[in-house]
């Protein structure tokens, strides 16, 4: 067992542990913290693959910026983990959830099995080139081969922006009737002032 | 690797770009009129899909526009793309046209955003229909659904609408995650995101180890689950009734036709275009045909049976649309020369009937504020024309001749029967068609229930319904579509038959 292998094993276990704990936590702040832990461990895996840039982006953008925003929103809404998230207990929902979990579990086992099966998959995945995952390589792909989907994501951002404005902006009727924002957040029916 | 940027041939993308700019124009118009644009912004938005359609036809006849590839073969205008683009533009036209009633008191703020987001979602669908590569397909699909999250939650002071938005958001994220997970396996196998290249590559390595079949099967299952959520095929359907009920009625209509057609296109591209070479028991032990057939059968059974019990007409239409998705999937698994053309024609006929029925529902909801089926009691006494129109739409959805819905169902089932007769591998299709025919009878029961309410109740529960001009237009176009394409389906079918058979989908 080489040093690489040990680092990978530790970071992989930490990543999965973080992901599981993130779902299991009742307190949203703890959830976010575990998600950050999982992301950091994933970044280590990226770096091991040679994708230094992607690892750095994962830490800076996801673990850094986006997760801080998550924390900010959670603290702004003042969630303290006592909220009933109102998970519906409809039997069909339970069945679907169960099916999905079993499906993903079986899938994981089979993938691991088929990757380690002797001579099965080996050779079909191309070995990464030397500059795999470097800034230059990522940029080259983004601005040449994948230029078109990259441009499309620009439209996607516009949609997200407009959508956020529609959802978040206080409406004229609401302002006129002075619906208190905190009440509207905690009790959706209280927002019916505008009618 | 090539370092030159691919030349993005903008000629072929003019309809998409035009509609995108038109959506921006709608946003801007609402802003410069200081948000007092009234109905004008809705008319402006209504012109969007119509002008895009006209522009495309004009360019086509002038020779500017035609079948071909652009953007490094990631974007392709082919018969399937064009046919589905017509459906998407039609769905947007009907959805916007039936939204005018909402402007009076429901949508007072953000009118520009409401219509602009419908147009942007349509832009996403147009891009999706033209993609021949996994990443642009995924981005197109997201561009289709993300505006719909906002549109579903557009009544911010209505608890049901907000709930619908949140539910659709979470389900949308989950299904996208499943889809991406499956596509990542595909990429790992083939090393390319181009669907045609991928197919060739995997066909090449297929014999060299048993791992390929396992990974293919797993990605098929994951992608089926992801698309199953998008198409609301049981057991991935629970979100649909709640979202349809809570969302503004024109948005629910747009969801049931536009979003469904988008899911179908994604399915056709990934499964029929990408996987069909592996329709082989050796490669995939449980090939995706059987899985899809199970999903289709459960959609027909669950959709039709549960629809009978609904008292809210929007929930009933949600279950009915689940069942219709089941019928469409019967055509998909036929996998012969007629499969994609029958599916496309079904979607075309379904668009007119379903958008029409939803337009009537929207009209009644605007007038009475209620979506209960009991509201329709005695409608034939107060508004006879409306009752006749609704009856025609419902009969078309049931599949009664000579309406378009009957022809659509006939072609889908005929494709399946033909396929079942041609090869013993497809023998299960006989069962599937049997399930389809039996459940159609159940469908007749709940559609006829509304007709019964409208005609055989003495005490009308509504006063006469007044129409506005766009609503008359929408109902007239939908009615014409249902009747004309039922009597003369040939021209449309001939166009649909240009869609290449499954094995040649991306070949040229």
């Amino acid at each position: 067992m080489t040093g690489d292998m040990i680092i990978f094993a530790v970071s992989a276990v930490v990543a999965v542990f973080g992901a599981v704990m993130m779902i299991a936590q009742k307190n949203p702040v703890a959830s976010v913290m575990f998600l950050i832990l999982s992301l950091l461990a994933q970044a280590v895996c990226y770096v091991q693959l040679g994708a230094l840039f992607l690892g750095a982006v994962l830490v800076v953008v996801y673990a850094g910026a986006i997760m801080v925003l998550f924390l900010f929103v959670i603290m702004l809404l003042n969630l303290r983990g006592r909220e009933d998230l109102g998970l519906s207990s409809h039997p069909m929902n339970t069945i679907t959830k169960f099916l999905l979990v079993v499906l993903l579990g079986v899938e994981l086992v089979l993938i691991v099995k088929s990757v380690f099966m002797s001579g099965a998959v080996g050779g079909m995945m191309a070995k990464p080139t030397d500059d795999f995952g470097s800034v230059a390589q990522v940029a080259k792909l983004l601005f040449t081969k994948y230029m078109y989907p990259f441009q499309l994501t620009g439209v996607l951002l516009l949609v997200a922006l407009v959508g956020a404005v529609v959802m978040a902006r206080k409406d004229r009727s609401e302002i006129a009737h002075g619906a208190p924002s905190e009440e509207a957040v905690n009790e959706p029916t209280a927002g019916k002032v505008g009618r | 690797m090539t370092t030159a940027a691919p030349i993005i041939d903008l000629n072929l993308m003019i309809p998409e770009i035009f509609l995108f700019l038109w959506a921006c124009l709608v946003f801007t118009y609402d802003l410069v009129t200081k948000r007092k644009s009234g109905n004008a912004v809705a008319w402006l938005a209504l012109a969007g899909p119509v002008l895009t359609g006209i522009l495309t036809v004009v360019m086509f006849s002038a020779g500017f526009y035609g079948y071909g590839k652009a953007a490094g073969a990631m974007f392709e205008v082919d018969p399937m793309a064009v046919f589905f683009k017509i459906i998407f533009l039609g769905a947007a036209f009907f959805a916007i046209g039936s939204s005018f009633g909402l402007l009076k008191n429901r949508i007072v703020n953000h009118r520009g955003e409401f219509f602009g987001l419908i147009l942007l979602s349509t832009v996403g669908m147009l891009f999706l229909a033209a993609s021949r590569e996994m990443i642009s397909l995924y981005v197109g699909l997201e561009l289709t659904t993300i505006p719909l999250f906002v549109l579903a939650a557009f009544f911010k002071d209505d608890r049901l609408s907000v709930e619908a938005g949140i539910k659709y958001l979470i389900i949308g994220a989950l299904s996208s995650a499943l889809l991406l997970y499956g596509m990542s396996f595909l990429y790992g196998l083939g090393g390319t995101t181009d669907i045609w290249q991928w197919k060739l590559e995997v066909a090449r390595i297929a014999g060299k180890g048993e791992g390929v079949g396992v990974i293919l099967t797993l990605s098929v299952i994951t992608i089926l689950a992801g698309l199953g959520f998008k198409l609301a095929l049981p057991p991935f359907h629970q979100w649909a009734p709640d979202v349809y009920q809570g969302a503004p009625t024109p948005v629910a209509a747009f969801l049931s036709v536009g979003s469904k057609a988008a899911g179908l296109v994604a399915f056709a591209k990934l499964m029929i275009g990408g996987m069909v070479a592996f329709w082989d028991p050796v490669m995939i032990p449980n090939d995706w045909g059987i899985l899809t057939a199970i999903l289709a059968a459960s959609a027909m059974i669950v959709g039709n049976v549960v629809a009978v019990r609904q008292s809210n007409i929007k929930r009933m239409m949600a279950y009915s649309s689940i069942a219709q998705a089941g019928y469409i999937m019967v055509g998909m698994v036929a996998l012969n020369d007629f499969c994609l053309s029958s599916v496309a024609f079904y979607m075309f006929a379904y668009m007119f009937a379903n958008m029409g029925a939803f337009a009537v529902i929207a009209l009644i909801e605007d007038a009475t504020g209620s979506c209960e089926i009991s509201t329709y009691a005695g409608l034939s006494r107060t508004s006879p024309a409306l009752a006749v129109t609704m009856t025609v739409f419902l009969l078309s959805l049931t599949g009664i001749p000579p309406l378009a819905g009957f022809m659509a169902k006939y072609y889908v089932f005929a494709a399946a029967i033909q396929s079942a007769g041609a090869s013993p591998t497809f023998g299960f299709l006989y069962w599937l068609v049997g399930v389809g025919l039996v459940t159609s009878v159940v469908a007749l029961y709940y559609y006829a229930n509304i007709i019964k309410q409208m005609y055989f109740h003495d005490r009308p529960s509504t006063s006469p319904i007044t129409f506005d001009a766009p609503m008359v237009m929408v109902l007239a176009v939908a009615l014409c579509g249902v009747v004309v394409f039922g009597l003369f389906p040939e021209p449309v079918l001939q166009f649909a038959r240009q869609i290449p058979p499954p094995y040649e989908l991306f070949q040229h």
Side-chain angles (χ1 to χ4, degrees):
Chain A
M1 204 179 220
T2 59
D4 256 6
M5 197 68 190
I6 294 169
I7 297 176
F8 171 72
V10 170
S11 54
V13 168
V14 170
V16 174
F17 170 77
V20 171
M21 290 302 282
M22 183 228 147
I23 315 173
Q25 289 301 313
K26 266 211 133 134
N27 187 340
V29 177
S31 261
V32 172
M33 288 306 181
F34 276 110
L35 188 54
I36 294 177
L37 179 72
S38 176
L39 285 173
L40 287 176
Q42 285 169 40
V44 173
C45 295
Y46 276 129
V47 172
Q48 273 204 309
L49 279 171
L52 193 62
F53 176 63
L54 289 185
V57 165
L58 195 69
V59 172
V60 172
V61 176
Y62 283 91
I66 295 182
M67 285 302 130
V68 167
L69 261 183
F70 268 33
L71 269 185
F72 186 71
V73 169
I74 288 169
M75 289 180 167
L76 203 67
L77 293 182
N78 214 4
L79 301 175
R80 289 209 189 81
R82 58 191 154 75
E83 280 77 16
D84 176 19
L85 294 174
L87 292 174
S88 106
S89 51
H90 194 276
M92 275 302 274
N93 276 344
T94 320
I95 292 170
T96 317
K97 273 184 257 173
F98 182 73
L99 276 178
L100 271 180
V101 169
V102 168
L103 190 144
L104 290 176
V106 169
E107 200 148 285
L108 212 62
V109 170
L110 283 176
I111 288 282
V112 170
K113 199 173 142 235
S114 78
V115 166
F116 288 106
M117 256 189 311
S118 53
V121 191
M124 74 180 59
M125 286 148 197
K127 288 241 161 56
T129 49
D130 282 346
D131 55 350
F132 168 78
S134 67
V135 184
Q137 191 74 11
V138 171
K140 206 189 269 177
L141 275 178
L142 215 53
F143 287 102
T144 59
K145 196 175 169 197
Y146 293 106
M147 186 68 184
Y148 157 62
F150 182 61
Q151 298 278 342
L152 264 190
T153 50
V155 183
L156 201 58
L157 280 181
L158 174 73
V159 169
L161 212 65
V162 172
V165 168
V166 171
M167 285 293 102
R169 195 164 175 272
K170 250 198 189 128
D171 288 340
R172 238 179 290 148
S173 58
E174 275 178 41
I175 296 166
H177 291 80
S181 61
E182 200 182 334
E183 203 185 325
V185 166
N186 291 335
E187 175 61 324
T189 41
K192 281 200 176 175
V193 196
R195 293 274 185 82
Chain B
M1 156 183 295
T2 167
T3 49
I7 301 152
I8 299 189
D9 186 0
L10 290 179
N11 268 3
L12 291 179
M13 280 186 210
I14 287 178
E16 282 85 356
I17 295 172
F18 178 80
L19 194 60
F20 169 67
L21 292 177
W22 199 268
C24 296
L25 179 72
V26 171
F27 290 140
T28 321
Y29 180 75
D30 193 40
L31 277 180
V32 295
T33 52
K34 302 242 164 33
R35 300 199 170 274
K36 293 191 170 58
S37 49
N39 279 359
V41 70
W43 282 106
L44 190 70
L46 191 61
V50 177
L51 286 180
T52 311
I54 293 173
L55 181 75
T56 315
V57 173
V58 168
M59 284 198 317
F60 195 83
S61 45
F64 273 128
Y65 187 78
Y67 300 139
K69 291 179 211 167
M74 287 183 177
F75 182 94
E76 183 185 21
V77 181
D78 62 353
M80 185 166 87
V82 173
F83 197 96
F84 274 96
K85 276 176 192 187
I86 296 171
I87 295 177
F88 295 141
L89 290 174
F93 168 80
F94 287 125
I96 296 171
S98 48
S99 299
F100 280 71
L102 293 174
L103 293 176
K104 268 174 240 143
N105 43 24
R106 298 302 298 269
I107 300 179
V108 183
N109 302 297
H110 304 297
R111 284 177 178 157
E113 281 86 344
F114 182 80
F115 294 107
L117 283 173
I118 293 183
L119 292 182
L120 281 181
S121 176
T122 317
V123 172
M125 292 170 191
L126 299 185
F127 275 119
L128 172 68
S131 66
R132 50 178 281 141
E133 184 259 355
M134 290 179 214
I135 293 182
S136 43
L137 183 136
Y138 174 72
V139 176
L141 200 58
E142 287 303 286
L143 193 52
T144 305
T145 43
I146 288 180
L148 291 172
F149 303 151
V150 182
L151 288 170
F154 216 90
F155 297 155
K156 275 192 285 179
D157 48 5
D158 183 344
R159 205 163 167 271
L160 279 177
S161 176
V162 174
E163 185 189 327
I166 297 275
K167 261 193 186 149
Y168 194 45
L169 171 74
I170 292 172
I171 290 295
L174 178 65
S175 62
S176 295
L178 281 170
L179 193 64
L180 271 183
Y181 191 49
M183 291 202 310
S184 71
F185 288 139
L186 297 188
Y187 178 71
L189 273 181
T192 171
T193 54
D194 183 277
I195 296 173
W196 179 251
Q197 294 293 328
W198 178 85
K199 190 162 142 179
L200 295 182
E201 176 66 19
V202 175
R204 191 176 65 75
I205 60 169
K208 297 185 182 163
E210 22 181 335
V212 182
V214 176
I215 294 185
L216 263 185
T217 313
L218 298 179
S219 44
V220 162
I221 295 173
T222 329
I223 291 178
L224 267 186
L227 290 175
F229 272 119
K230 299 259 186 234
L231 288 167
L233 296 173
F236 309 113
H237 70 286
Q238 288 100 9
W239 60 273
D242 295 347
V243 172
Y244 282 39
Q245 187 188 5
T249 309
V251 173
F254 193 55
L255 268 175
S256 73
V257 176
S259 168
K260 189 150 284 175
L264 281 177
V265 171
F267 186 92
K269 282 180 187 280
L270 280 174
M271 292 310 206
I272 306 238
M275 301 283 186
V276 79
F278 312 108
W279 176 278
D280 181 64
V282 184
M283 275 295 297
I284 305 176
N286 298 309
D287 40 33
W288 64 263
I290 304 279
L291 282 175
T292 315
I294 293 171
L295 285 185
S298 66
M300 291 187 286
I301 295 168
V302 172
N304 280 321
V305 171
V306 183
V308 171
R309 288 174 43 210
Q310 303 305 316
S311 64
N312 181 307
I313 193 160
K314 274 161 90 179
R315 286 186 83 84
M316 192 209 86
M317 290 302 285
Y319 281 107
S320 121
S321 87
I322 291 169
Q324 304 278 354
Y327 295 127
I328 296 173
M329 294 320 268
V330 174
M332 279 283 191
V333 283
L335 268 186
N336 54 8
D337 292 0
F338 310 113
C339 91
L340 285 174
S341 59
S342 70
V343 164
F345 184 76
Y346 196 109
M347 209 56 224
F348 185 73
Y350 175 64
M351 171 185 77
F352 287 109
N354 209 46
M355 295 307 283
F358 264 110
V360 176
I361 295 171
L363 191 60
I364 305 264
E365 194 189 3
D366 292 335
T368 64
S370 159
C371 282
E372 294 301 307
I373 290 177
S374 53
T375 319
Y376 290 76
L379 193 69
S380 64
R381 320 243 153 188
T382 53
S383 322
L386 195 62
V388 170
T389 318
M390 183 66 166
T391 307
V392 172
F393 293 144
L394 292 176
L395 290 180
S396 177
L397 283 174
T398 325
I400 303 281
L403 300 168
F406 168 74
M407 298 313 283
K409 239 177 212 170
Y410 170 77
Y411 286 118
V412 162
F413 287 156
I417 294 279
Q418 202 261 1
S419 190
S423 142
T425 326
F426 290 90
F428 63 88
L429 283 174
Y430 282 127
W431 288 99
L432 209 54
V433 173
V435 172
L437 292 176
V438 172
T439 51
S440 293
V441 180
V442 182
L444 180 62
Y445 175 79
Y446 61 81
Y447 288 130
N449 181 32
I450 295 180
I451 300 174
K452 190 190 91 189
Q453 289 278 342
M454 290 192 296
Y455 281 93
F456 301 105
H457 270 260
D458 286 335
R459 282 181 298 109
S461 56
T462 51
S463 45
I465 309 278
T466 50
F467 296 85
D468 48 6
M471 189 55 98
V472 174
M473 199 159 75
V474 162
L475 290 178
V477 173
L479 196 61
C480 285
V482 166
V483 175
V484 171
F485 294 119
L487 294 173
F488 309 104
E490 267 312 307
V492 181
L493 262 177
Q494 236 149 43
F495 186 28
R497 289 211 184 97
Q498 287 181 22
I499 298 177
Y503 290 88
E504 298 161 12
L505 195 57
F506 294 115
Q507 200 168 20
H508 40 89

